[in-house]
Amino acid sequence: MPELPEVEVCRRGLQPEVTGELILGAVVRSPRLRLPLPATLGDTLAGQRVVAVRRRGKYLLLDCRGGIEDGCLIIHLGMSGSLRFVANDKTPEKHDHVDILFARQTLRLSDPRRFGVVLWHALGEAPHPLLAVLGIEPLADEFTGDWLFAVTRGRAAPIKPVLMDSHVVVGIGNIYAAESLFRAGISPLRAASRISRERYARLVAAIRQTLADAIVAGGSSIRDYVHSDGGAGCFQVDCAVYGRAGESCRRCGGVIRQVRQGGRSTFYCPSCQH
Ligand SMILES: [Zn+2]
């Protein structure tokens, strides 16, 4: 499943290709994704110029101006979605559900499992409900140790599910939560309310670094990501704890432990993380 770093790499790949470009229209071969595609999408997009490519959580936002109404094309890759540029005359394959047509190339969404989302949101309307519920961006300046300390007062839940709650902070998936907690030396089982301000500062730094490392790892293959026929792309993250149950900790030599937390697997080193 594409995680925040993959989506950010995708955004960085799209930005230079589509910013300032005119959209000629759209082809919707299958409107049945996670949410039904608007029937008028082609008409709405025709004549729009892309002025910016943003990201909010795992949503890609293409700001468009100059068509029948100004607004934003919202794309979520779901479980299995991928975007790539293809020649305008390239024959679509089975799971190629949506094309956004530009003069020089076509941006094609492939999504075998159909959990993706493609929506139009008119400028000036209230924030889209899908976006309005999202928490803070982990790479934003406002995401600090002090902020995380403040919002976790009175929270008895363990820190790991709190980090993975997109109403609190977006885009920290299971792997990134586990690796960040290891880097910060914090046990995933510790109650969120029982972590000091200083340790939260270390945790925020670890989260930023872990995500940044994944973005850099993906950035080296950025052209492949949007230009090849490959899938959504899972980054090679060098995991210290995730998926390493029973193996030895690279820091202390102890044994990495695996437990279940809220239906998800959690990996940590009981010696290094408290
Ligand atoms: Zn250890």
Side-chain angles (χ1 to χ4, degrees), residues 1-8 10-11 34 54-61 74-79 83 116-117 130-131 134 137-138 166 170-174 176 264:
M1 169 167 28
E3 297 283 352
L4 185 146
E6 288 92 321
V7 178
E8 176 60 21
C10 189
R11 186 193 73 77
R34 179 155 68 90
R54 296 180 291 134
R55 178 188 56 75
R56 180 75 177 96
K58 297 201 287 183
Y59 291 91
L60 289 164
L61 310 174
I74 301 174
I75 301 174
H76 192 288
L77 298 174
M79 304 287 286
L83 287 168
V117 170
L130 288 171
L131 304 182
L134 297 181
E137 287 284 335
S166 66
V170 294
I172 303 180
N174 203 19
Y176 300 111
R264 306 293 300 273

Side-chain angles (χ1 to χ4, degrees), residues 14-92:
L14 288 177
Q15 186 168 249
E17 296 286 340
V18 303
T19 304
E21 295 293 317
L22 190 65
I23 300 176
L24 305 181
V27 176
V28 177
R29 290 183 202 89
S30 167
R32 293 178 300 107
L33 296 182
R34 179 155 68 90
L35 298 173
L37 264 71
T40 54
L41 188 69
D43 292 338
T44 306
L45 288 179
Q48 301 276 3
R49 200 171 288 280
V50 179
V51 296
V53 183
R54 296 180 291 134
R55 178 188 56 75
R56 180 75 177 96
K58 297 201 287 183
Y59 291 91
L60 289 164
L61 310 174
L62 276 65
D63 290 324
C64 298
R65 300 291 183 269
I68 54 175
E69 64 177 4
D70 291 347
C72 179
L73 182 67
I74 301 174
I75 301 174
H76 192 288
L77 298 174
M79 304 287 286
S80 60
S82 64
L83 287 168
R84 61 190 192 276
F85 288 106
V86 297
N88 288 342
D89 60 356
K90 186 171 193 312
T91 307

Side-chain angles (χ1 to χ4, degrees), residues 140-199:
D141 291 343
E142 296 76 28
F143 183 61
T144 62
D146 285 345
W147 184 90
L148 198 50
F149 179 80
V151 300
T152 51
R153 293 312 87 196
R155 273 190 180 251
I159 181 60
K160 180 163 171 274
V162 171
L163 286 184
M164 293 179 63
D165 181 349
S166 66
H167 300 99
V168 177
V169 51
V170 294
I172 303 180
N174 203 19
I175 296 175
Y176 300 111
E179 294 300 312
S180 300
L181 286 164
F182 176 77
R183 288 183 183 201
I186 296 172
S187 168
L189 310 178
R190 175 167 287 273
S193 60
R194 295 193 59 250
I195 296 172
S196 69
R197 195 183 288 272
E198 292 70 29
R199 298 187 84 203

Side-chain angles (χ1 to χ4, degrees), residues 211-235:
L211 293 173
D213 288 351
I215 291 169
V216 168
S220 59
S221 60
I222 195 164
R223 285 194 65 82
D224 292 343
Y225 195 80
V226 287
H227 287 275
S228 79
D229 289 352
C234 277
F235 294 171

